[in-house]
Amino acid sequence: VSTDPQGAVPLRASELPAAATRLSTAELRGLRNDLFSKEQARQRALITRTEKIEVTLEVPGHQGTLLIMNKGLSTPRCCARHLTEWHVNSSALALVDGEPWPMHRPLTQNCSLALLHFKMEDPHHVNKAYWRSCAALLGQVLQNAFKEEFSVELLTSPEVPVTSGAFCCDLVLDSQLDSWVPSEEALRSLTRDAHQLIQQNLPWEPLQVSPSFAIKIFSHSSYKQKEVEERAAESASGLVTLYRCGDHVFVSGGHLVARTGLCSQYDVTAIHNLGQTELGLLRRAQGLSLPVQLEAHHTVWRKLRGRAERLVG
C-alpha cells in the first residue's frame, strides 16, 4: 500500500521503515492478556466454598421472582439464562440495587436485579454504556491496525453524549506516521476490522483490580500508569476496572455493554489531527454505531454518518 500523505493507509501492508526496538503491539497484547487471565484465576481461587445469595428480579413479566445464585460466581448474565433466550441476547447492562452493573461482573450479595436493553422507555444508562463500548471497540481496532513496528498509544476516550453525533477515541501514533492522512479506503479498512470483532460476538469482561496490579499490566506505558492512578483516586473502593475483549486489555472509566455482537451498524467515520502534545501528534478517531435493536434505514444512516465525520469538540 502506498504511503502517499494524501490518504493511503500505512496499515499492516505498508512498507515504512521499522521503529526503534521495543515490545511490539502483539507482545504487549500477549503480556497484558496473560496477566489479566492470571489475576482473574487468582480471584476466582479465593472462593473456596459456594455461598448462596438471593437475587430478586425487577424484570417485566418476572417481577419479584427470586433466584438463588452463587455469591462471587453468578453474574447478571447467569440470571438472564434462567429466563428466556431473548433476555440473554438482548440484555446489555444490569441494574443491581438500582446501580449500573456489567452483565459479566459476579454478584456479591443479596440484591435486586433489573436487565436493561436498548428499547427501554429510559435508555439513559444503556446508551452511555453503549457509546463507551463503541469507543473501546474503536480503540481495539486502532491498536491492532498498524504494522507491528509502529507504536500506537491509546489515550483516555472522551466521555461524549450520544447526542454529540459520534463516539471518540484519542490516540498518538508513531512519530513516523505524523504525515499520514487517512483516506476513505483507510476508514473502510478500519470499519471492516470493527465488523470482524462484532461478528465474533466477544464479551467485554470486567475485572476489578488493585492500582498496583493495573500499573503492572501497563508497565510499558507511562500514560496508562497515570490514568490508572487517576481512576483509582476517583473510585470509592480504590480499585480500578479493567476490561478484556478477546485478547485486548484496557482501563475503563465506566461500564460497558455485554458483548460486541450488540453492535450492528458501525462505521469509523474520521480521524482528526488535534495538534502536537508532549506525547506527540494527538489525533481523535470518531465513529458512529447503532445497536441490533435500533437499526436505521440507509438514507437516515448517511445523514447520521455525515454528522459523525465532523470533529467532536
Side-chain angles (χ1 to χ4, degrees):
V1 177
S2 164
T3 56
D4 182 345
Q6 291 306 308
V9 60
L11 303 183
R12 287 179 292 265
S14 70
E15 296 297 338
L16 291 179
T21 302
R22 56 172 178 78
L23 285 183
S24 69
T25 298
E27 289 168 332
L28 281 174
R29 189 167 60 242
L31 173 66
R32 291 168 180 171
N33 183 47
D34 183 57
L35 288 171
F36 186 102
S37 292
K38 288 178 178 177
E39 174 62 13
Q40 189 180 61
R42 186 195 70 81
Q43 291 187 20
R44 287 173 177 169
L46 295 176
I47 303 173
T48 56
R49 65 188 182 90
T50 303
E51 296 182 48
K52 298 299 182 179
I53 55 174
E54 296 181 351
V55 179
T56 304
L57 297 184
E58 295 182 353
V59 177
H62 302 274
Q63 194 75 25
T65 298
L66 185 67
L67 298 179
I68 306 301
M69 307 301 290
N70 296 325
K71 179 179 179 179
L73 296 172
S74 298
T75 65
R77 182 172 172 82
C78 296
C79 297
R81 291 166 76 174
H82 285 273
L83 303 178
T84 68
E85 186 176 355
W86 184 89
H87 289 95
V88 173
N89 293 335
S90 300
S91 298
L93 191 70
L95 289 181
V96 173
D97 290 336
E99 295 298 323
W101 192 277
M103 289 296 294
H104 297 288
R105 175 175 290 170
L107 302 168
T108 58
Q109 61 186 19
N110 296 339
C111 61
S112 64
L113 175 69
L115 299 173
L116 308 185
H117 55 85
F118 295 105
K119 287 192 172 181
M120 301 190 68
E121 186 175 336
D122 181 7
H124 172 72
H125 291 303
V126 74
N127 281 351
K128 283 187 67 175
Y130 183 72
W131 221 229
R132 191 181 293 121
S133 303
C134 290
L137 185 66
L138 178 55
Q140 183 169 353
V141 165
L142 292 164
Q143 184 81 73
N144 300 328
F146 297 84
K147 289 192 71 179
E148 291 294 333
E149 57 263 35
F150 297 111
S151 62
V152 179
E153 183 77 81
L154 299 178
L155 309 183
T156 305
S157 294
E159 285 280 338
V160 296
V162 173
T163 52
S164 66
F167 51 83
C168 306
C169 175
D170 288 357
L171 71 157
V172 172
L173 298 177
D174 196 290
S175 60
Q176 294 181 80
L177 302 179
D178 280 358
S179 62
W180 175 57
V181 178
S183 63
E184 283 301 316
E185 177 52 39
L187 298 176
R188 283 192 292 269
S189 175
L190 295 170
T191 296
R192 287 192 294 271
D193 288 349
H195 280 276
Q196 287 181 6
L197 294 172
I198 291 168
Q199 290 164 11
Q200 291 177 53
N201 199 23
L202 298 168
W204 271 295
E205 305 173 74
L207 186 67
Q208 289 187 301
V209 302
S210 67
S212 60
F213 178 81
I215 285 173
K216 180 180 178 182
I217 274 204
F218 297 107
S219 59
H220 295 82
S221 171
S222 57
Y223 179 89
K224 285 296 180 188
Q225 291 179 341
K226 183 179 178 182
E227 182 182 1
V228 165
E229 293 172 350
E230 291 172 351
R231 297 294 188 196
E234 295 168 356
S235 169
S237 65
L239 299 177
V240 176
T241 299
L242 303 180
Y243 272 89
R244 178 170 65 180
C245 181
D247 58 4
H248 177 65
V249 178
F250 56 99
V251 187
S252 178
H255 304 306
L256 305 187
V257 298
R259 52 194 173 85
T260 61
L262 288 169
C263 302
S264 178
Q265 292 168 289
Y266 188 108
D267 275 0
V268 180
T269 58
I271 301 178
H272 297 284
N273 288 351
L274 299 184
Q276 287 290 341
T277 69
E278 59 182 13
L279 296 173
L281 177 59
L282 178 61
R283 301 179 192 246
R284 175 160 295 170
Q286 297 182 186
L288 172 68
S289 181
L290 286 174
V292 287
Q293 298 165 5
L294 296 174
E295 294 182 21
H297 188 273
H298 63 88
T299 54
V300 175
W301 181 256
R302 280 201 302 269
K303 292 180 180 179
L304 293 173
R305 195 187 189 288
R307 182 185 177 193
E309 293 171 0
R310 300 195 294 268
L311 175 64
V312 173

